Amino acid sequence: MPSRIVYLNGHFLPLEEAHVSVMDRGFLFGDGVYEVIPIFCGKLFRPQAHLQRLKASLAAIRLDCVWKEAAYIDLFEKLLQHNPEQGENRSVYIQITRGAGENREHVFPKKEVTPTIFVQCTPFEPVSFETYMQGAKAITLPDIRWANCFIKAITLLPNLLLAQQALEEDAKEVILIREGMAVEGVASNLCLIKNNRLITPPVDGSILSGVTRSLILEIAAQQQIPCIEQKIPVAMLQEADEIWMTGSLKEILPITQIDEMQVGNGKVGPVWQVFFRCYQEIKLE
Amino acid sequence: MPSRIVYLNGHFLPLEEAHVSVMDRGFLFGDGVYEVIPIFCGKLFRPQAHLQRLKASLAAIRLDCVWKEAAYIDLFEKLLQHNPEQGENRSVYIQITRGAGENREHVFPKKEVTPTIFVQCTPFEPVSFETYMQGAKAITLPDIRWANCFIKAITLLPNLLLAQQALEEDAKEVILIREGMAVEGVASNLCLIKNNRLITPPVDGSILSGVTRSLILEIAAQQQIPCIEQKIPVAMLQEADEIWMTGSLKEILPITQIDEMQVGNGKVGPVWQVFFRCYQEIKLE
């Protein structure tokens, strides 16, 4: 198997040779942001939406790294070409950190430093056919993350601990509860169906503005299904007909069990069928 | 000026040569913990307390890295000897991450990986005589950090953004407010004096169990000053006679201004004088 070729600070090189200084503020502080862009049918899927969010994340942490969209996309395309043997299901990961300062100090470096840009493309295991047919289990856990989850920051330790707990409880996702409200997953947005209406939490500072979430809203408009963006009290989960968790790699994951509770009739629902089909069509466009 | 010699995964080497893989989970996720141990009079100050906390942080993130205390201290001593020209005021920084997995995945690596251990010693600028005489300004800001701040994790992006804001508002620290309570600083614990009694928030999951904080409680016992560990409503800041923020490198920082408000009579207080003197004596022991 040939080495994975990655991009780091201007160079394409084998992963084994891709190193950063221990003084990199990504390594010392988690001082950086990232994006994951799926590849469908060999094409980057909605890269503009991801790059716009990357720009917003960079602005939110005051990291000045001005690249034109076209330059990023060109870089992604080149990287994909460098890794021709990865198969159909893969994604591009980009991480930008504030770079390596001379000293470890909480405040921004006094001398200007060059941001670190790391990009890799890797295969991912898509959600299995069985999971789409039977639905998945999620667990609820308190949202221990920071307040500004609209920023796609690399400070993901809370997410790791939550995801690991889900794995150990044989669940595919975590529904995070903050002040009595179900907000989103560890790596997905939350969406529920009640009486043929779609309900999803509004994009405020506490959740990520998901690219797949936007797509769901587009499909809803197309299908003339009313959409309500509102906070979701935990009790509402019990009354939902269908619950989905959406994300670039999870696509639209139907949740049929939450903790020990069955969602709706415990089966993947009819509205999910419609949305999933529309979503697959959009992917092929 | 000779290169700073640092320790990384079993080797002492110049900082310029100290690199980690881009796949290190410290770099990708902030999946690690750290400690900072000050050196006073050429000696590590209370290393056991720091190493016990390091052990607790590692356990809290389920990172298995079992070293004996003596092995750490031996390593620190060697590193200090490798850097003989750093002067009086310096500290040892140790960071342990979960290491580099094969893939970027939120859950813990399936194949066992070796944790990354990075240690450096660096000079620090002590709090100036003027600041101790006149007191410092702090600002209050909402506590945007995660829920488990008892873990000394490297996911410090929220802290960086808060510290930078303090710097830009000409303040030395931030008093973080969570649900109406003043909890701690970005890199220090909070302590106030009212009617010759010392009040400090209890060590629950939301704040760090500060080594200097423990020392303050020791001094209070020695000086027979009553101590109350209780939550501190914001309004209580206005009524305090003295406010201090304590930490290994900040020592006991007297706060004489919070936002636009004067603390007590706006001068460094008499109780601070007593504690600071006792603290300096303990440092020399």
Side-chain angles (χ1 to χ4, degrees):
Chain A
M1 182 115 167
S3 268
R4 188 191 311 166
I5 302 296
V6 303
Y7 172 92
L8 181 64
N9 296 332
H11 304 280
F12 291 96
L13 72 176
L15 177 62
E16 297 71 34
E17 295 169 23
H19 292 87
V20 292
S21 166
V22 289
M23 295 305 286
D24 192 285
R25 291 173 65 94
F27 181 68
L28 292 176
F29 294 128
D31 189 4
V33 295
Y34 75 104
E35 278 294 328
V36 179
I37 308 169
I39 315 294
F40 294 138
C41 306
K43 280 197 313 197
L44 289 157
F45 188 63
R46 303 213 162 180
Q48 288 81 6
H50 287 278
L51 290 171
Q52 271 168 32
R53 190 169 61 187
L54 181 65
K55 206 172 144 188
S57 291
L58 287 166
I61 71 163
R62 301 172 58 188
L63 203 170
D64 211 9
C65 180
V66 193
W67 276 40
K68 290 221 161 58
E69 253 179 45
Y72 281 118
I73 291 175
D74 183 54
L75 162 56
F76 299 159
E77 301 284 6
K78 283 205 180 88
L79 188 64
L80 290 168
Q81 287 163 19
H82 274 291
N83 294 277
E85 293 167 41
Q86 289 184 330
E88 267 295 289
N89 296 299
R90 52 182 183 157
S91 64
V92 168
Y93 172 82
I94 177 166
Q95 167 173 339
I96 303 179
T97 77
R98 208 179 305 273
E102 255 182 45
N103 297 301
R104 181 186 175 277
E105 49 183 354
H106 279 47
V107 293
F108 300 164
K110 284 173 195 77
K111 283 191 198 164
E112 205 172 315
V113 295
T114 308
T116 297
I117 305 184
F118 166 55
V119 190
Q120 65 171 342
C121 55
T122 50
F124 69 91
E125 200 172 322
V127 176
S128 70
F129 183 72
E130 288 68 31
T131 301
Y132 281 136
M133 290 303 99
Q134 293 164 15
K137 175 186 169 187
I139 55 174
T140 55
L141 287 173
D143 189 359
I144 57 171
R145 303 169 309 158
W146 73 319
N148 296 347
C149 289
F150 70 96
I151 304 172
K152 210 166 164 73
I154 58 168
T155 41
L156 289 168
L157 178 58
N159 304 55
L160 309 183
L161 298 175
L162 294 162
Q164 180 66 21
Q165 192 169 340
L167 178 73
E168 288 167 10
E169 296 188 24
D170 210 22
K172 287 273 195 294
E173 244 296 7
V174 178
I175 298 178
L176 296 165
I177 312 299
R178 188 173 282 210
E179 291 169 12
M181 301 291 161
V183 291
E184 63 178 340
V186 163
S188 61
N189 288 115
L190 176 67
C191 186
L192 56 85
I193 302 295
K194 178 72 187 166
N195 299 334
N196 283 308
R197 295 190 307 176
L198 189 149
I199 305 168
T200 193
V203 172
D204 54 19
S206 68
I207 70 165
L208 191 73
S209 174
V211 173
T212 311
R213 179 188 177 280
S214 302
L215 227 151
I216 297 286
L217 297 183
E218 282 174 34
I219 297 173
Q222 195 190 84
Q223 297 290 319
Q224 296 183 305
I225 289 180
C227 266
I228 307 163
E229 292 185 68
Q230 66 157 69
K231 288 196 183 270
I232 297 182
V234 178
M236 199 184 270
L237 299 174
Q238 289 168 25
E239 297 157 16
D241 301 323
E242 301 184 25
I243 292 180
W244 317 333
M245 303 199 77
T246 67
S248 289
L249 304 189
K250 285 200 173 60
E251 308 201 336
I252 312 173
L253 183 67
I255 303 296
T256 47
Q257 184 187 342
I258 297 177
D259 300 324
E260 299 313 311
M261 180 192 83
Q262 177 180 293
V263 176
N265 65 2
K267 294 197 163 59
V268 174
V271 187
W272 180 85
Q273 310 280 357
V274 173
F275 275 69
F276 191 68
R277 201 180 51 237
C278 294
Y279 181 67
Q280 298 307 323
E281 280 165 15
I282 292 171
K283 276 167 62 177
L284 297 175
E285 267 169 15
Chain B
M1 181 112 166
S3 268
R4 189 191 311 167
I5 302 295
V6 302
Y7 171 91
L8 182 64
N9 296 331
H11 304 281
F12 291 95
L13 71 177
L15 178 62
E16 296 71 34
E17 296 169 22
H19 292 87
V20 292
S21 166
V22 289
M23 294 305 285
D24 193 285
R25 292 173 65 96
F27 181 68
L28 291 176
F29 294 128
D31 189 5
V33 296
Y34 75 103
E35 278 294 328
V36 180
I37 308 169
I39 315 293
F40 294 136
C41 306
K43 280 197 310 197
L44 289 157
F45 188 62
R46 303 213 161 181
Q48 287 82 5
H50 287 279
L51 290 171
Q52 272 168 33
R53 190 170 62 187
L54 181 65
K55 205 172 144 189
S57 292
L58 287 166
I61 71 163
R62 300 172 58 188
L63 203 170
D64 211 9
C65 181
V66 193
W67 275 40
K68 290 222 162 56
E69 253 180 49
Y72 282 118
I73 291 176
D74 182 56
L75 161 56
F76 300 159
E77 300 286 4
K78 283 205 180 88
L79 188 65
L80 290 168
Q81 286 162 20
H82 273 292
N83 294 277
E85 293 167 40
Q86 289 184 330
E88 267 297 288
N89 296 299
R90 54 182 182 156
S91 65
V92 168
Y93 172 83
I94 176 166
Q95 168 173 339
I96 303 179
T97 77
R98 209 180 303 273
E102 256 181 42
N103 296 301
R104 181 187 175 277
E105 48 183 357
H106 278 47
V107 293
F108 299 164
K110 283 173 196 77
K111 283 191 200 165
E112 207 173 311
V113 295
T114 307
T116 297
I117 304 183
F118 167 55
V119 191
Q120 65 172 342
C121 56
T122 49
F124 69 90
E125 201 171 321
V127 176
S128 70
F129 182 73
E130 287 69 30
T131 302
Y132 281 136
M133 291 301 101
Q134 293 164 17
K137 175 185 170 186
I139 55 174
T140 55
L141 287 174
D143 188 357
I144 57 171
R145 303 169 309 159
W146 73 320
N148 297 347
C149 288
F150 70 97
I151 303 172
K152 209 165 164 75
I154 58 168
T155 42
L156 289 167
L157 178 59
N159 304 55
L160 308 182
L161 298 175
L162 294 161
Q164 180 66 22
Q165 192 170 337
L167 178 74
E168 289 168 11
E169 296 187 25
D170 210 20
K172 287 274 193 291
E173 244 298 6
V174 179
I175 298 178
L176 296 166
I177 311 298
R178 187 174 283 210
E179 291 169 10
M181 301 291 160
V183 291
E184 62 178 341
V186 163
S188 61
N189 288 116
L190 177 66
C191 186
L192 56 84
I193 302 295
K194 177 71 186 167
N195 298 334
N196 283 308
R197 295 191 307 177
L198 189 149
I199 305 169
T200 192
V203 172
D204 54 19
S206 67
I207 70 164
L208 191 73
S209 174
V211 173
T212 311
R213 178 187 178 281
S214 302
L215 227 152
I216 296 287
L217 297 184
E218 281 174 37
I219 297 173
Q222 194 190 85
Q223 297 291 317
Q224 297 183 304
I225 290 181
C227 265
I228 307 164
E229 292 184 69
Q230 66 157 70
K231 288 195 181 271
I232 297 182
V234 177
M236 199 184 270
L237 298 174
Q238 289 169 25
E239 296 157 16
D241 301 323
E242 303 184 24
I243 292 181
W244 318 333
M245 304 198 77
T246 66
S248 289
L249 303 188
K250 285 198 171 63
E251 306 200 340
I252 313 173
L253 183 68
I255 303 296
T256 47
Q257 185 187 343
I258 296 177
D259 300 324
E260 298 312 311
M261 179 191 84
Q262 175 179 296
V263 176
N265 65 3
K267 294 198 162 61
V268 175
V271 188
W272 180 87
Q273 310 279 358
V274 174
F275 275 67
F276 191 68
R277 201 180 52 237
C278 294
Y279 181 68
Q280 297 309 322
E281 281 166 16
I282 292 171
K283 276 167 60 178
L284 297 175
E285 270 169 15

